[in-house]
Amino acid sequence: MKLLDGNYCAQQIRLEIATQVASFKAEGRRAPHLAAVLVGNDGASRNYVGMKVRDCEEIGFNSSLLHLNENIAEADLLAKIDELNADNDIDGFIVQLPLPKKIDEKKVILAINPRKDVDGFCPENVGNLCLGFPAFISATPNGIMELLRRYDITTEGKHCVVLGRSNIVGTPMAILLSRNASPGNATVTLAHSRTVNLKEVCRSADILVVAVGKTEFVTADMVKEGAVVIDVGQTRVSDTSRKSGFRNVGDVDFDNVKDKCSFITYVTGGVGPMTRASLLQNTLKAYRQNQGAHYV
Ligand code: NAP
């Protein structure tokens, strides 16, 4: 079993981007600028946004955090998004999800200018991804593709099972793996809560990507010997032995699954850092476009 080290790959990506940023600055150009909108005080969301801001600082990006009260009216949030859309100094921005229940997430996603949609959630970007046109690709599946690429894992001709069909992870992941590209060219099964014989479906996977949001859902009897297993799941559970009071648990029963796998990710240091690195790559792309480059 080999651990897919997302921390290491993400660090490499950050170094690659930092070198480019240094050269922009040496030419007298401004740095790329990522803005993040955080509504409310959810601990996990604050943590994720904080890490994204720190990543920007590390590689020389400009970053802004717009921290809004959880009682903000939907119309006021949409007005803030319009301001970000119009601000030419901001290349891309994200609205951290989930949003408070009274705000319609769909309306918020539709309000984001697709050319600044570095999360890749807007219909225009998802549609372009499906058609194989240039697009901002959702950071988590894009980060997983990068991880597969950097570890030279062959996807062509393989059977990939993606477990979970969310708009931001499972569905774009299935599209990316099935595209005529490298990595890609896999035969993909997209499984979900209505899938019959889920255990057998998962056990037929050469590559199993799990994004269900249920702790240790995938057990050893669901995994084929020699499979590649990517665990996207990240659920906070209380842990009084830790200073933070919690730990993250994945969707895969790592301890019992790992010895069956050729490659596997661990809940920390796997997909999470690759997601963040991918967001930085998307922001760099938005910056180049904003600076006049054609779609890159
Ligand atoms: P989501 O929107 O909650 O979707 C979960 C999917 O799992 C749904 O398609 C659902 O099927 C399916 N599912 C639920 N129970 C199932 C069952 N018993 N059998 C089969 N399928 C089942 O989740 P998400 O946003 O994709 O997130 C999934 C996990 O990934 C979460 O733990 C999240 O925190 C984590 N995540 C991590 C990162 C990262 O960077 N590491 C990024 C994003 C998300 P139906 O569609 O039929 O309901």
Side-chain angles (χ1 to χ4, degrees), residues 253-271:
D253 177 7
F254 181 86
D255 287 341
N256 293 306
V257 166
K258 66 180 192 315
D259 292 330
K260 292 187 87 174
C261 301
S262 53
F263 293 92
I264 188 169
T265 61
Y266 185 58
V267 58
T268 49
V271 173

Side-chain angles (χ1 to χ4, degrees), residues 199 202-206 208 210 218-229 252-253 256-264:
K199 191 185 285 186
C202 290
R203 215 167 31 212
S204 70
D206 302 306
L208 178 61
V210 189
V218 168
T219 46
D221 56 346
M222 296 169 78
V223 176
K224 177 159 89 174
E225 204 67 52
V228 176
V229 174
V252 174
D253 177 7
N256 293 306
V257 166
K258 66 180 192 315
D259 292 330
K260 292 187 87 174
C261 301
S262 53
F263 293 92
I264 188 169

Side-chain angles (χ1 to χ4, degrees), residues 32-246:
H33 188 164
L34 172 69
V37 179
L38 173 65
V39 183
N41 282 306
D42 174 71
S45 292
R46 282 175 60 171
N47 196 24
Y48 296 145
V49 168
M51 288 193 286
K52 289 166 187 175
V53 169
R54 277 198 300 281
D55 287 343
C56 286
E57 283 164 7
E58 183 190 319
I59 63 171
F61 278 10
N62 297 325
S63 67
S64 324
L65 172 59
L66 205 59
H67 192 174
L68 304 171
N69 190 287
E70 70 177 325
N71 294 319
I72 189 168
E74 187 180 274
D76 293 335
L77 174 59
L78 294 174
K80 292 284 178 201
I81 289 173
D82 276 346
E83 282 173 27
L84 293 170
N85 284 335
D87 186 341
N88 206 36
D89 278 339
I90 290 174
D91 300 297
F93 66 94
I94 59 160
V95 180
Q96 185 68 39
L97 302 179
L99 290 167
K101 294 247 177 310
K102 66 186 172 93
I103 293 176
D104 183 347
E105 267 180 23
K106 280 190 188 141
K107 269 194 200 166
V108 170
I109 289 170
L110 285 171
I112 299 171
N113 177 349
R115 289 181 71 84
K116 293 194 174 193
D117 170 34
V118 286
D119 256 340
F121 293 169
C122 290
E124 185 171 323
N125 281 310
V126 179
N128 283 337
L129 164 67
C130 292
L131 297 171
F133 295 162
F136 290 116
I137 300 171
S138 177
T140 300
N142 206 28
I144 294 170
M145 295 302 276
E146 190 67 36
L147 199 57
L148 295 171
R149 188 178 295 117
R150 286 180 186 243
Y151 275 90
D152 269 334
I153 292 173
T154 304
T155 54
E156 182 165 329
K158 303 288 182 189
H159 182 213
C160 298
V161 174
V162 179
L163 183 45
R165 57 177 163 182
S166 70
N167 287 348
I168 63 172
V169 185
T171 295
M173 188 75 240
I175 293 163
L176 283 166
L177 285 166
S178 60
R179 285 202 311 189
N180 185 358
S182 180
N185 282 322
T187 304
V188 180
T189 301
L190 183 53
H192 45 77
S193 66
R194 315 293 166 89
T195 298
V196 178
N197 295 334
L198 188 64
K199 191 185 285 186
E200 286 69 30
V201 170
C202 290
R203 215 167 31 212
S204 70
D206 302 306
I207 299 174
L208 178 61
V209 181
V210 189
V212 282
K214 290 191 155 57
T215 56
E216 300 183 338
F217 181 82
V218 168
T219 46
D221 56 346
M222 296 169 78
V223 176
K224 177 159 89 174
E225 204 67 52
V228 176
V229 174
I230 309 286
D231 186 359
V232 182
Q234 198 169 284
T235 303
R236 272 187 178 199
V237 299
S238 150
D239 184 344
T240 48
S241 71
R242 301 208 176 187
K243 211 171 123 195
S244 62
F246 71 88

